[in-house]
Amino acid sequence: MKITEQIKQPIAYEMELFEQKFQLSMSSKVALLNRITHYIVNRKGKQMRPMFVFLVAKMLNNGEVSERTYRGASVIELIHTATLVHDDVVDDSNRRRGFFSINALWKNKIAVLIGDYLLSKGLLLSIDNNDFDLLKIISVAVREMSEGELLQIEKARRLDITEDIYYDIIRQKTATLIAACCSLGAASVKPNSPEVETMRKFGELIGMAFQIKDDLFDYGEAKIGKPVGIDIKEQKMTLPLIYALNNSNKKEKSWLINSVKNHNKDKKRVKEVIAFVIDKGGLDYAEEKMKAFQTEALSLLSQFPNSEFKASLELMVNYVIERKK
Protein backbone atom coordinates (compact mmCIF):
# COMPACT_ATOMS: atom_id res chain seq x y z
CA MET A 1 0.00 0.00 0.00
CA LYS A 2 1.26 3.47 -0.90
CA ILE A 3 2.22 5.58 2.10
CA THR A 4 -0.35 8.27 1.20
CA GLU A 5 -3.12 5.65 1.19
CA GLN A 6 -1.88 4.34 4.53
CA ILE A 7 -2.06 7.88 5.98
CA LYS A 8 -5.57 8.34 4.56
CA GLN A 9 -6.96 5.03 5.90
CA PRO A 10 -8.37 6.28 9.26
CA ILE A 11 -10.12 9.20 7.50
CA ALA A 12 -11.18 7.45 4.27
CA TYR A 13 -14.91 7.95 4.95
CA GLU A 14 -14.47 11.65 5.83
CA MET A 15 -12.32 12.29 2.74
CA GLU A 16 -14.98 10.77 0.49
CA LEU A 17 -17.75 12.84 2.04
CA PHE A 18 -15.50 15.90 1.94
CA GLU A 19 -15.09 15.56 -1.84
CA GLN A 20 -18.86 15.76 -2.29
CA LYS A 21 -19.18 18.74 0.05
CA PHE A 22 -16.21 20.47 -1.59
CA GLN A 23 -17.76 20.16 -5.06
CA LEU A 24 -21.01 21.62 -3.73
CA SER A 25 -19.14 24.52 -2.11
CA MET A 26 -17.79 25.50 -5.55
CA SER A 27 -21.10 25.43 -7.44
CA SER A 28 -22.45 28.48 -9.25
CA LYS A 29 -25.29 29.53 -11.57
CA VAL A 30 -22.76 30.42 -14.28
CA ALA A 31 -22.13 27.52 -16.67
CA LEU A 32 -18.57 28.64 -17.55
CA LEU A 33 -17.66 28.78 -13.86
CA ASN A 34 -19.02 25.28 -13.26
CA ARG A 35 -17.10 23.94 -16.26
CA ILE A 36 -13.83 25.37 -14.93
CA THR A 37 -14.37 24.31 -11.30
CA HIS A 38 -15.27 20.82 -12.53
CA TYR A 39 -11.93 20.78 -14.39
CA ILE A 40 -10.13 21.85 -11.17
CA VAL A 41 -11.83 19.23 -8.97
CA ASN A 42 -10.95 16.41 -11.39
CA ARG A 43 -7.27 17.30 -11.34
CA LYS A 44 -6.70 17.50 -7.62
CA GLY A 45 -3.35 16.65 -6.02
CA LYS A 46 -2.63 14.46 -3.00
CA GLN A 47 -5.03 16.52 -0.84
CA MET A 48 -2.59 16.74 2.03
CA ARG A 49 -4.26 19.86 3.40
CA PRO A 50 -7.74 18.41 4.10
CA MET A 51 -6.02 15.25 5.37
CA PHE A 52 -4.29 17.33 8.06
CA VAL A 53 -7.61 18.94 9.04
CA PHE A 54 -9.41 15.59 9.53
CA LEU A 55 -6.53 13.74 11.20
CA VAL A 56 -5.98 16.51 13.76
CA ALA A 57 -9.72 16.83 14.49
CA LYS A 58 -10.13 13.07 14.98
CA MET A 59 -6.99 12.76 17.10
CA LEU A 60 -8.23 15.49 19.47
CA ASN A 61 -11.88 14.45 19.55
CA ASN A 62 -11.93 10.66 20.11
CA GLY A 63 -12.22 9.88 16.42
CA GLU A 64 -15.18 12.23 15.84
CA VAL A 65 -15.45 15.18 13.44
CA SER A 66 -18.12 17.89 13.17
CA GLU A 67 -19.74 19.82 10.32
CA ARG A 68 -17.26 22.59 11.16
CA THR A 69 -14.41 20.18 10.36
CA TYR A 70 -15.80 19.69 6.83
CA ARG A 71 -16.20 23.44 6.42
CA GLY A 72 -12.67 24.04 7.67
CA ALA A 73 -11.29 21.52 5.16
CA SER A 74 -13.35 23.06 2.33
CA VAL A 75 -12.26 26.61 3.19
CA ILE A 76 -8.59 25.70 3.20
CA GLU A 77 -8.90 23.82 -0.10
CA LEU A 78 -10.88 26.64 -1.77
CA ILE A 79 -8.34 29.24 -0.71
CA HIS A 80 -5.34 27.06 -1.51
CA THR A 81 -6.79 26.38 -5.00
CA ALA A 82 -7.37 30.12 -5.49
CA THR A 83 -3.71 30.85 -4.69
CA LEU A 84 -2.53 28.13 -7.13
CA VAL A 85 -4.67 29.56 -9.94
CA HIS A 86 -3.29 33.05 -9.27
CA ASP A 87 0.28 31.69 -8.98
CA ASP A 88 0.06 30.17 -12.45
CA VAL A 89 -0.95 33.56 -13.85
CA VAL A 90 1.88 35.34 -12.01
CA ASP A 91 4.45 32.74 -13.11
CA ASP A 92 3.03 32.56 -16.64
CA SER A 93 2.90 28.80 -16.15
CA ASN A 94 1.04 26.59 -18.65
CA ARG A 95 1.07 23.38 -16.62
CA ARG A 96 -0.14 22.38 -13.19
CA ARG A 97 0.32 18.78 -11.93
CA GLY A 98 0.96 17.59 -15.48
CA PHE A 99 -2.24 19.14 -16.89
CA PHE A 100 -2.89 22.47 -18.58
CA SER A 101 -3.30 25.31 -16.08
CA ILE A 102 -6.48 27.41 -16.02
CA ASN A 103 -4.71 30.39 -17.63
CA ALA A 104 -3.37 28.15 -20.42
CA LEU A 105 -6.89 26.96 -21.31
CA TRP A 106 -9.01 30.01 -20.54
CA LYS A 107 -6.48 32.91 -20.53
CA ASN A 108 -5.32 35.16 -17.68
CA LYS A 109 -8.45 37.30 -17.24
CA ILE A 110 -10.68 34.30 -16.57
CA ALA A 111 -8.01 32.63 -14.37
CA VAL A 112 -7.74 35.74 -12.15
CA LEU A 113 -11.55 35.95 -11.86
CA ILE A 114 -11.76 32.22 -11.00
CA GLY A 115 -9.14 32.73 -8.26
CA ASP A 116 -11.14 35.65 -6.87
CA TYR A 117 -14.35 33.60 -7.03
CA LEU A 118 -12.81 30.67 -5.10
CA LEU A 119 -11.40 33.07 -2.51
CA SER A 120 -14.78 34.72 -1.93
CA LYS A 121 -16.52 31.31 -1.82
CA GLY A 122 -14.12 30.25 0.93
CA LEU A 123 -14.67 33.42 2.97
CA LEU A 124 -18.46 33.24 2.60
CA LEU A 125 -18.55 29.57 3.63
CA SER A 126 -17.15 30.66 7.02
CA ILE A 127 -19.23 33.84 7.33
CA ASP A 128 -22.53 32.17 6.43
CA ASN A 129 -21.98 29.63 9.20
CA ASN A 130 -20.63 32.09 11.79
CA ASP A 131 -17.27 30.27 11.84
CA PHE A 132 -15.44 33.50 12.62
CA ASP A 133 -12.63 31.74 14.50
CA LEU A 134 -11.96 29.56 11.43
CA LEU A 135 -12.16 32.63 9.18
CA LYS A 136 -9.53 34.40 11.27
CA ILE A 137 -7.14 31.43 11.02
CA ILE A 138 -7.43 31.30 7.23
CA SER A 139 -7.29 35.10 6.74
CA VAL A 140 -4.04 35.31 8.72
CA ALA A 141 -2.63 32.52 6.51
CA VAL A 142 -3.54 34.38 3.28
CA ARG A 143 -1.97 37.61 4.55
CA GLU A 144 1.23 35.81 5.55
CA MET A 145 1.50 33.93 2.25
CA SER A 146 1.28 37.22 0.32
CA GLU A 147 3.86 38.86 2.60
CA GLY A 148 6.21 35.89 2.23
CA GLU A 149 6.02 35.97 -1.58
CA LEU A 150 6.71 39.72 -1.66
CA LEU A 151 9.56 39.42 0.84
CA GLN A 152 11.14 36.75 -1.36
CA ILE A 153 10.81 38.92 -4.49
CA GLU A 154 12.32 41.91 -2.68
CA LYS A 155 15.28 39.87 -1.40
CA ALA A 156 15.86 38.00 -4.69
CA ARG A 157 16.65 41.32 -6.37
CA ARG A 158 19.58 41.90 -4.04
CA LEU A 159 20.45 38.30 -3.11
CA ASP A 160 21.11 39.40 0.47
CA ILE A 161 19.14 36.70 2.27
CA THR A 162 20.40 35.57 5.66
CA GLU A 163 19.38 32.23 7.11
CA ASP A 164 16.92 33.99 9.47
CA ILE A 165 15.23 35.85 6.61
CA TYR A 166 15.05 32.60 4.65
CA TYR A 167 13.18 30.98 7.57
CA ASP A 168 10.83 33.97 7.70
CA ILE A 169 10.10 33.59 3.98
CA ILE A 170 9.37 29.85 4.09
CA ARG A 171 7.41 30.19 7.34
CA GLN A 172 5.09 32.65 5.61
CA LYS A 173 5.10 31.20 2.10
CA THR A 174 4.76 27.49 2.79
CA ALA A 175 4.49 26.64 6.48
CA THR A 176 1.66 29.06 7.29
CA LEU A 177 -0.85 27.13 5.15
CA ILE A 178 -0.05 23.75 6.73
CA ALA A 179 -0.14 25.45 10.16
CA ALA A 180 -3.60 26.78 9.28
CA CYS A 181 -4.80 23.26 8.31
CA CYS A 182 -3.74 21.83 11.66
CA SER A 183 -5.13 24.70 13.74
CA LEU A 184 -8.41 24.58 11.73
CA GLY A 185 -8.69 20.86 12.52
CA ALA A 186 -8.20 21.59 16.23
CA ALA A 187 -10.48 24.66 16.28
CA SER A 188 -13.27 22.79 14.48
CA VAL A 189 -13.72 20.38 17.41
CA LYS A 190 -12.08 22.21 20.33
CA PRO A 191 -12.57 25.95 19.75
CA ASN A 192 -10.46 28.33 21.89
CA SER A 193 -8.49 25.45 23.46
CA PRO A 194 -4.69 25.39 23.95
CA GLU A 195 -4.57 22.56 21.37
CA VAL A 196 -5.38 25.07 18.59
CA GLU A 197 -2.00 26.78 19.13
CA THR A 198 -0.13 23.48 19.72
CA MET A 199 -1.41 22.09 16.42
CA ARG A 200 -0.67 25.37 14.61
CA LYS A 201 2.95 25.08 15.76
CA PHE A 202 3.01 21.41 14.73
CA GLY A 203 1.81 22.30 11.22
CA GLU A 204 4.32 25.12 10.94
CA LEU A 205 7.22 22.78 11.78
CA ILE A 206 6.06 20.28 9.13
CA GLY A 207 5.75 23.11 6.62
CA MET A 208 9.33 24.24 7.30
CA ALA A 209 10.64 20.69 6.81
CA PHE A 210 8.51 20.33 3.65
CA GLN A 211 10.00 23.46 2.05
CA ILE A 212 13.59 22.51 2.87
CA LYS A 213 12.94 19.11 1.26
CA ASP A 214 11.75 21.00 -1.84
CA ASP A 215 14.96 23.04 -1.81
CA LEU A 216 16.99 19.83 -1.74
CA PHE A 217 15.20 18.52 -4.86
CA ASP A 218 16.77 21.42 -6.79
CA TYR A 219 20.11 19.68 -6.43
CA GLY A 220 19.06 16.47 -8.11
CA GLU A 221 16.49 13.75 -7.43
CA ALA A 222 14.78 11.35 -9.77
CA LYS A 223 11.62 12.46 -11.63
CA ILE A 224 10.17 15.05 -9.31
CA GLY A 225 8.34 17.13 -11.88
CA LYS A 226 10.69 20.02 -11.13
CA PRO A 227 13.80 20.48 -13.30
CA VAL A 228 17.13 20.39 -11.47
CA GLY A 229 18.52 23.87 -10.89
CA ILE A 230 15.17 25.62 -11.43
CA ASP A 231 15.50 27.59 -8.16
CA ILE A 232 18.92 28.85 -9.26
CA LYS A 233 17.51 29.82 -12.67
CA GLU A 234 14.73 31.73 -10.88
CA GLN A 235 17.25 33.36 -8.50
CA LYS A 236 15.58 31.82 -5.45
CA MET A 237 17.85 31.78 -2.43
CA THR A 238 17.45 28.32 -0.89
CA LEU A 239 19.02 27.00 2.31
CA PRO A 240 21.85 24.98 0.66
CA LEU A 241 22.84 28.06 -1.37
CA ILE A 242 22.68 30.41 1.64
CA TYR A 243 24.88 28.02 3.64
CA ALA A 244 27.42 27.81 0.79
CA LEU A 245 27.48 31.63 0.52
CA ASN A 246 28.02 32.04 4.26
CA ASN A 247 30.92 29.59 4.15
CA SER A 248 32.77 30.98 1.14
CA ASN A 249 35.69 33.33 0.89
CA LYS A 250 35.33 36.73 -0.84
CA LYS A 251 36.33 35.45 -4.27
CA GLU A 252 34.00 32.41 -4.12
CA LYS A 253 31.18 34.60 -2.84
CA SER A 254 31.39 37.07 -5.72
CA TRP A 255 31.59 34.19 -8.27
CA LEU A 256 28.52 32.57 -6.69
CA ILE A 257 26.46 35.78 -6.60
CA ASN A 258 27.51 36.67 -10.14
CA SER A 259 26.54 33.16 -11.31
CA VAL A 260 23.06 33.31 -9.77
CA LYS A 261 22.46 36.92 -10.85
CA ASN A 262 23.89 37.03 -14.35
CA HIS A 263 24.48 33.46 -15.57
CA ASN A 264 21.41 31.64 -14.22
CA LYS A 265 20.29 30.62 -17.72
CA ASP A 266 23.67 29.09 -18.58
CA LYS A 267 23.25 25.31 -18.04
CA LYS A 268 26.97 24.69 -17.57
CA ARG A 269 27.26 27.48 -14.98
CA VAL A 270 24.16 26.25 -13.10
CA LYS A 271 25.76 22.78 -12.93
CA GLU A 272 28.95 24.36 -11.54
CA VAL A 273 26.92 26.21 -8.88
CA ILE A 274 25.18 22.95 -7.89
CA ALA A 275 28.53 21.16 -7.61
CA PHE A 276 29.98 24.06 -5.57
CA VAL A 277 27.04 24.07 -3.10
CA ILE A 278 27.29 20.29 -2.65
CA ASP A 279 31.05 20.56 -2.13
CA LYS A 280 30.58 23.23 0.55
CA GLY A 281 28.26 20.92 2.52
CA GLY A 282 25.12 22.94 1.73
CA LEU A 283 22.97 19.84 1.23
CA ASP A 284 24.14 18.12 4.40
CA TYR A 285 23.45 21.28 6.40
CA ALA A 286 19.94 21.72 4.93
CA GLU A 287 19.15 18.06 5.60
CA GLU A 288 20.25 18.44 9.21
CA LYS A 289 17.95 21.48 9.66
CA MET A 290 15.05 19.65 7.99
CA LYS A 291 15.45 16.73 10.39
CA ALA A 292 15.54 19.12 13.37
CA PHE A 293 12.12 20.51 12.35
CA GLN A 294 10.85 16.95 11.90
CA THR A 295 12.04 15.91 15.40
CA GLU A 296 10.42 18.98 16.99
CA ALA A 297 7.10 18.24 15.20
CA LEU A 298 7.13 14.62 16.40
CA SER A 299 7.88 15.69 19.98
CA LEU A 300 4.78 17.95 19.94
CA LEU A 301 2.68 14.95 18.89
CA SER A 302 4.11 12.77 21.65
CA GLN A 303 2.00 14.57 24.30
CA PHE A 304 -1.22 13.12 22.82
CA PRO A 305 -2.49 9.60 23.56
CA ASN A 306 -1.77 6.93 20.96
CA SER A 307 -4.40 6.42 18.26
CA GLU A 308 -4.55 5.51 14.58
CA PHE A 309 -4.98 9.24 13.81
CA LYS A 310 -1.83 10.16 15.71
CA ALA A 311 0.00 7.30 13.94
CA SER A 312 -1.14 8.70 10.57
CA LEU A 313 0.10 12.19 11.51
CA GLU A 314 3.48 10.69 12.47
CA LEU A 315 3.56 8.91 9.10
CA MET A 316 2.74 12.24 7.44
CA VAL A 317 5.67 13.98 9.17
CA ASN A 318 8.04 11.25 8.01
CA TYR A 319 6.53 11.19 4.50
CA VAL A 320 7.20 14.94 4.12
CA ILE A 321 10.96 14.44 4.42
CA GLU A 322 11.26 11.01 2.80
CA ARG A 323 9.10 11.72 -0.29
CA LYS A 324 10.68 11.39 -3.71
CA LYS A 325 8.73 14.24 -5.30
Side-chain angles (χ1 to χ4, degrees), residues 37-57:
T37 54
H38 180 74
Y39 179 82
I40 291 170
V41 166
N42 287 334
R43 281 150 194 82
K44 60 187 181 298
K46 295 187 195 80
Q47 292 191 299
M48 275 174 70
R49 277 150 287 271
M51 282 159 69
F52 274 122
V53 177
F54 289 115
L55 285 170
V56 168

mmCIF file of all heavy atoms in Angstrom, residues 37-57:
data_model
loop_
_atom_site.group_PDB
_atom_site.id
_atom_site.type_symbol
_atom_site.label_atom_id
_atom_site.label_comp_id
_atom_site.label_asym_id
_atom_site.label_seq_id
_atom_site.Cartn_x
_atom_site.Cartn_y
_atom_site.Cartn_z
ATOM 1 N N THR A 37 -14.563 24.914 -12.634
ATOM 2 C CA THR A 37 -14.374 24.310 -11.296
ATOM 3 C C THR A 37 -14.424 22.784 -11.383
ATOM 4 O O THR A 37 -13.715 22.094 -10.648
ATOM 5 C CB THR A 37 -15.404 24.835 -10.264
ATOM 6 O OG1 THR A 37 -16.721 24.655 -10.777
ATOM 7 C CG2 THR A 37 -15.179 26.294 -9.944
ATOM 8 N N HIS A 38 -15.220 22.271 -12.309
ATOM 9 C CA HIS A 38 -15.266 20.818 -12.532
ATOM 10 C C HIS A 38 -13.884 20.336 -13.000
ATOM 11 O O HIS A 38 -13.375 19.299 -12.547
ATOM 12 C CB HIS A 38 -16.336 20.480 -13.586
ATOM 13 C CG HIS A 38 -16.455 19.008 -13.872
ATOM 14 N ND1 HIS A 38 -17.049 18.130 -12.983
ATOM 15 C CD2 HIS A 38 -16.040 18.261 -14.929
ATOM 16 C CE1 HIS A 38 -16.982 16.899 -13.484
ATOM 17 N NE2 HIS A 38 -16.385 16.953 -14.661
ATOM 18 N N TYR A 39 -13.270 21.098 -13.886
ATOM 19 C CA TYR A 39 -11.925 20.783 -14.386
ATOM 20 C C TYR A 39 -10.921 20.773 -13.226
ATOM 21 O O TYR A 39 -10.081 19.880 -13.114
ATOM 22 C CB TYR A 39 -11.514 21.824 -15.441
ATOM 23 C CG TYR A 39 -10.123 21.621 -16.011
ATOM 24 C CD1 TYR A 39 -9.892 20.708 -17.044
ATOM 25 C CD2 TYR A 39 -9.027 22.349 -15.529
ATOM 26 C CE1 TYR A 39 -8.621 20.521 -17.571
ATOM 27 C CE2 TYR A 39 -7.753 22.162 -16.053
ATOM 28 C CZ TYR A 39 -7.560 21.245 -17.072
ATOM 29 O OH TYR A 39 -6.300 21.062 -17.589
ATOM 30 N N ILE A 40 -11.044 21.760 -12.332
ATOM 31 C CA ILE A 40 -10.134 21.855 -11.175
ATOM 32 C C ILE A 40 -10.293 20.643 -10.253
ATOM 33 O O ILE A 40 -9.315 20.010 -9.861
ATOM 34 C CB ILE A 40 -10.393 23.162 -10.377
ATOM 35 C CG1 ILE A 40 -9.952 24.379 -11.199
ATOM 36 C CG2 ILE A 40 -9.665 23.146 -9.039
ATOM 37 C CD1 ILE A 40 -10.385 25.720 -10.608
ATOM 38 N N VAL A 41 -11.545 20.323 -9.916
ATOM 39 C CA VAL A 41 -11.825 19.227 -8.972
ATOM 40 C C VAL A 41 -11.298 17.894 -9.501
ATOM 41 O O VAL A 41 -10.782 17.065 -8.753
ATOM 42 C CB VAL A 41 -13.351 19.136 -8.686
ATOM 43 C CG1 VAL A 41 -13.700 17.830 -7.994
ATOM 44 C CG2 VAL A 41 -13.786 20.298 -7.810
ATOM 45 N N ASN A 42 -11.390 17.685 -10.811
ATOM 46 C CA ASN A 42 -10.953 16.412 -11.390
ATOM 47 C C ASN A 42 -9.441 16.290 -11.539
ATOM 48 O O ASN A 42 -8.942 15.258 -11.959
ATOM 49 C CB ASN A 42 -11.636 16.185 -12.742
ATOM 50 C CG ASN A 42 -13.097 15.835 -12.550
ATOM 51 O OD1 ASN A 42 -13.477 15.312 -11.506
ATOM 52 N ND2 ASN A 42 -13.921 16.137 -13.527
ATOM 53 N N ARG A 43 -8.723 17.355 -11.235
ATOM 54 C CA ARG A 43 -7.268 17.304 -11.336
ATOM 55 C C ARG A 43 -6.603 17.644 -10.014
ATOM 56 O O ARG A 43 -5.610 18.327 -9.956
ATOM 57 C CB ARG A 43 -6.788 18.252 -12.450
ATOM 58 C CG ARG A 43 -6.963 17.642 -13.808
ATOM 59 C CD ARG A 43 -7.211 18.657 -14.906
ATOM 60 N NE ARG A 43 -7.695 17.979 -16.113
ATOM 61 C CZ ARG A 43 -8.959 17.620 -16.301
ATOM 62 N NH1 ARG A 43 -9.854 17.857 -15.384
ATOM 63 N NH2 ARG A 43 -9.326 17.006 -17.416
ATOM 64 N N LYS A 44 -7.216 17.173 -8.953
ATOM 65 C CA LYS A 44 -6.698 17.501 -7.619
ATOM 66 C C LYS A 44 -5.387 16.757 -7.340
ATOM 67 O O LYS A 44 -5.116 15.721 -7.943
ATOM 68 C CB LYS A 44 -7.741 17.171 -6.556
ATOM 69 C CG LYS A 44 -8.131 15.714 -6.543
ATOM 70 C CD LYS A 44 -9.280 15.453 -5.600
ATOM 71 C CE LYS A 44 -9.652 14.001 -5.571
ATOM 72 N NZ LYS A 44 -10.109 13.434 -6.823
ATOM 73 N N GLY A 45 -4.625 17.295 -6.401
ATOM 74 C CA GLY A 45 -3.353 16.653 -6.024
ATOM 75 C C GLY A 45 -3.554 15.614 -4.938
ATOM 76 O O GLY A 45 -4.582 14.954 -4.875
ATOM 77 N N LYS A 46 -2.571 15.503 -4.049
ATOM 78 C CA LYS A 46 -2.625 14.464 -3.001
ATOM 79 C C LYS A 46 -3.636 14.798 -1.906
ATOM 80 O O LYS A 46 -3.935 13.976 -1.059
ATOM 81 C CB LYS A 46 -1.244 14.311 -2.363
ATOM 82 C CG LYS A 46 -0.188 13.788 -3.303
ATOM 83 C CD LYS A 46 1.101 13.502 -2.536
ATOM 84 C CE LYS A 46 2.278 13.330 -3.464
ATOM 85 N NZ LYS A 46 2.836 14.601 -3.932
ATOM 86 N N GLN A 47 -4.071 16.045 -1.863
ATOM 87 C CA GLN A 47 -5.034 16.517 -0.845
ATOM 88 C C GLN A 47 -4.478 16.430 0.574
ATOM 89 O O GLN A 47 -5.179 16.046 1.517
ATOM 90 C CB GLN A 47 -6.358 15.755 -0.949
ATOM 91 C CG GLN A 47 -7.114 16.081 -2.226
ATOM 92 C CD GLN A 47 -8.515 15.537 -2.188
ATOM 93 O OE1 GLN A 47 -8.697 14.335 -2.077
ATOM 94 N NE2 GLN A 47 -9.498 16.388 -2.269
ATOM 95 N N MET A 48 -3.217 16.773 0.712
ATOM 96 C CA MET A 48 -2.592 16.736 2.034
ATOM 97 C C MET A 48 -3.262 17.704 3.008
ATOM 98 O O MET A 48 -3.388 17.409 4.191
ATOM 99 C CB MET A 48 -1.102 17.085 1.916
ATOM 100 C CG MET A 48 -0.241 15.891 1.561
ATOM 101 S SD MET A 48 1.468 16.369 1.271
ATOM 102 C CE MET A 48 2.011 16.803 2.917
ATOM 103 N N ARG A 49 -3.705 18.852 2.496
ATOM 104 C CA ARG A 49 -4.264 19.865 3.396
ATOM 105 C C ARG A 49 -5.532 19.381 4.115
ATOM 106 O O ARG A 49 -5.578 19.390 5.341
ATOM 107 C CB ARG A 49 -4.479 21.189 2.643
ATOM 108 C CG ARG A 49 -3.206 22.025 2.571
ATOM 109 C CD ARG A 49 -3.126 22.887 1.340
ATOM 110 N NE ARG A 49 -2.850 22.071 0.169
ATOM 111 C CZ ARG A 49 -1.620 21.774 -0.263
ATOM 112 N NH1 ARG A 49 -0.578 22.274 0.345
ATOM 113 N NH2 ARG A 49 -1.432 21.003 -1.322
ATOM 114 N N PRO A 50 -6.569 18.925 3.371
ATOM 115 C CA PRO A 50 -7.742 18.415 4.101
ATOM 116 C C PRO A 50 -7.404 17.207 4.981
ATOM 117 O O PRO A 50 -7.995 17.017 6.045
ATOM 118 C CB PRO A 50 -8.732 18.037 3.000
ATOM 119 C CG PRO A 50 -8.072 18.249 1.712
ATOM 120 C CD PRO A 50 -6.813 19.010 1.925
ATOM 121 N N MET A 51 -6.418 16.403 4.548
ATOM 122 C CA MET A 51 -6.024 15.249 5.373
ATOM 123 C C MET A 51 -5.537 15.707 6.755
ATOM 124 O O MET A 51 -5.893 15.119 7.781
ATOM 125 C CB MET A 51 -4.942 14.429 4.660
ATOM 126 C CG MET A 51 -5.512 13.531 3.568
ATOM 127 S SD MET A 51 -4.290 13.022 2.335
ATOM 128 C CE MET A 51 -3.249 11.941 3.275
ATOM 129 N N PHE A 52 -4.755 16.779 6.783
ATOM 130 C CA PHE A 52 -4.292 17.326 8.064
ATOM 131 C C PHE A 52 -5.480 17.756 8.928
ATOM 132 O O PHE A 52 -5.521 17.485 10.124
ATOM 133 C CB PHE A 52 -3.375 18.539 7.844
ATOM 134 C CG PHE A 52 -1.932 18.193 7.624
ATOM 135 C CD1 PHE A 52 -1.264 18.583 6.467
ATOM 136 C CD2 PHE A 52 -1.218 17.487 8.580
ATOM 137 C CE1 PHE A 52 0.079 18.271 6.262
ATOM 138 C CE2 PHE A 52 0.128 17.173 8.393
ATOM 139 C CZ PHE A 52 0.772 17.567 7.231
ATOM 140 N N VAL A 53 -6.443 18.440 8.301
ATOM 141 C CA VAL A 53 -7.615 18.940 9.045
ATOM 142 C C VAL A 53 -8.336 17.775 9.733
ATOM 143 O O VAL A 53 -8.612 17.823 10.940
ATOM 144 C CB VAL A 53 -8.587 19.707 8.102
ATOM 145 C CG1 VAL A 53 -9.826 20.148 8.875
ATOM 146 C CG2 VAL A 53 -7.911 20.930 7.475
ATOM 147 N N PHE A 54 -8.634 16.720 8.970
ATOM 148 C CA PHE A 54 -9.410 15.593 9.527
ATOM 149 C C PHE A 54 -8.611 14.778 10.546
ATOM 150 O O PHE A 54 -9.154 14.370 11.573
ATOM 151 C CB PHE A 54 -9.925 14.683 8.398
ATOM 152 C CG PHE A 54 -11.013 15.321 7.584
ATOM 153 C CD1 PHE A 54 -10.819 15.615 6.245
ATOM 154 C CD2 PHE A 54 -12.228 15.659 8.168
ATOM 155 C CE1 PHE A 54 -11.818 16.229 5.490
ATOM 156 C CE2 PHE A 54 -13.236 16.266 7.434
ATOM 157 C CZ PHE A 54 -13.031 16.554 6.088
ATOM 158 N N LEU A 55 -7.338 14.546 10.260
ATOM 159 C CA LEU A 55 -6.525 13.743 11.196
ATOM 160 C C LEU A 55 -6.383 14.443 12.543
ATOM 161 O O LEU A 55 -6.504 13.811 13.596
ATOM 162 C CB LEU A 55 -5.143 13.446 10.589
ATOM 163 C CG LEU A 55 -5.123 12.385 9.481
ATOM 164 C CD1 LEU A 55 -3.759 12.345 8.798
ATOM 165 C CD2 LEU A 55 -5.469 10.982 10.028
ATOM 166 N N VAL A 56 -6.129 15.764 12.500
ATOM 167 C CA VAL A 56 -5.975 16.509 13.756
ATOM 168 C C VAL A 56 -7.292 16.511 14.529
ATOM 169 O O VAL A 56 -7.328 16.231 15.730
ATOM 170 C CB VAL A 56 -5.486 17.955 13.482
ATOM 171 C CG1 VAL A 56 -5.616 18.819 14.739
ATOM 172 C CG2 VAL A 56 -4.039 17.946 12.995
ATOM 173 N N ALA A 57 -8.411 16.791 13.820
ATOM 174 C CA ALA A 57 -9.720 16.831 14.489
ATOM 175 C C ALA A 57 -10.032 15.486 15.154
ATOM 176 O O ALA A 57 -10.455 15.427 16.316
ATOM 177 C CB ALA A 57 -10.808 17.195 13.478
#
